[in-house]
Amino acid sequence: GRAVQAFFKEVGEFCEENRSDDKMAPFTKALKKGLNDLQAATMWLLQNGMAKPDNAGAGSTDYMHLFGLVALGYMWGQMAKAAGVKLADGANGSSAFYDNKLVTARFFMERIMPETTAHLARISSGADTLMALPAEAF
């Protein structure tokens, strides 16, 4: 679990470092919410996956998607920060490129990142309904 904890720490620190920057708020707020969902899913799987392995199996795909969303959100957050710095420095004739980076990052945070909530809900619903049908039903 050290690698996962290191990732949580890195993303959390990025959010905290940029929390007071109003231009970064749309990115860090959505990323922090996704990180919170990922941490909650991780804790739920740790608590419920060992006691009932079907819970771990039932939540595995959603967990990987959730983790991927947070990782991509973190990358978009970093790109948004870099684009903001470049624009503040004059962007050397590339302002449209950096503006488009910010629009795309904002799109991701507003339209894609909220999917973390659905993944967390599916993970924490457990395996009962998934395992309710007998194998012969397939």
Side-chain angles (χ1 to χ4, degrees), residues 120-132:
L120 173 59
R122 287 194 292 258
I123 291 165
S124 57
S125 71
D128 292 342
T129 56
L130 184 65
M131 302 306 291

Side-chain angles (χ1 to χ4, degrees), residues 12 32 40 63 90 95 97 107 112-113 126:
K32 182 65 174 154
Y63 186 77
S95 64
F97 174 80
F107 172 87
I112 308 298
M113 187 61 88

Side-chain angles (χ1 to χ4, degrees), residues 18-40:
N18 295 286
R19 189 171 62 123
S20 61
D21 183 349
D22 290 339
K23 291 181 180 180
M24 285 296 293
F27 310 108
T28 57
K29 195 173 184 182
L31 180 58
K32 182 65 174 154
K33 169 68 171 88
L35 178 61
N36 290 343
D37 288 344
L38 179 58
Q39 289 173 315

Side-chain angles (χ1 to χ4, degrees), residues 13-133:
E13 286 174 353
F14 176 81
C15 292
E16 187 60 31
E17 289 166 6
N18 295 286
R19 189 171 62 123
S20 61
D21 183 349
D22 290 339
K23 291 181 180 180
M24 285 296 293
F27 310 108
T28 57
K29 195 173 184 182
L31 180 58
K32 182 65 174 154
K33 169 68 171 88
L35 178 61
N36 290 343
D37 288 344
L38 179 58
Q39 289 173 315
T42 302
M43 290 307 297
W44 191 92
L45 285 170
L46 286 172
Q47 293 169 349
N48 295 284
M50 297 294 263
K52 186 175 179 185
D54 285 341
N55 283 330
S60 61
T61 298
D62 281 296
Y63 186 77
M64 296 307 285
H65 282 274
L66 175 53
F67 209 111
L69 287 169
V70 174
L72 285 170
Y74 179 42
M75 296 298 110
W76 276 114
Q78 290 180 322
M79 285 187 271
K81 182 167 179 77
V85 168
K86 291 289 189 180
L87 286 168
D89 290 345
N92 297 335
S94 301
S95 64
F97 174 80
Y98 294 113
D99 285 335
N100 290 337
K101 283 285 185 196
L102 290 172
V103 169
T104 305
R106 190 174 211 131
F107 172 87
F108 184 88
M109 295 302 183
E110 290 177 5
R111 304 289 301 191
I112 308 298
M113 187 61 88
E115 293 175 16
T116 62
T117 302
H119 289 295
L120 173 59
R122 287 194 292 258
I123 291 165
S124 57
S125 71
D128 292 342
T129 56
L130 184 65
M131 302 306 291
L133 288 172

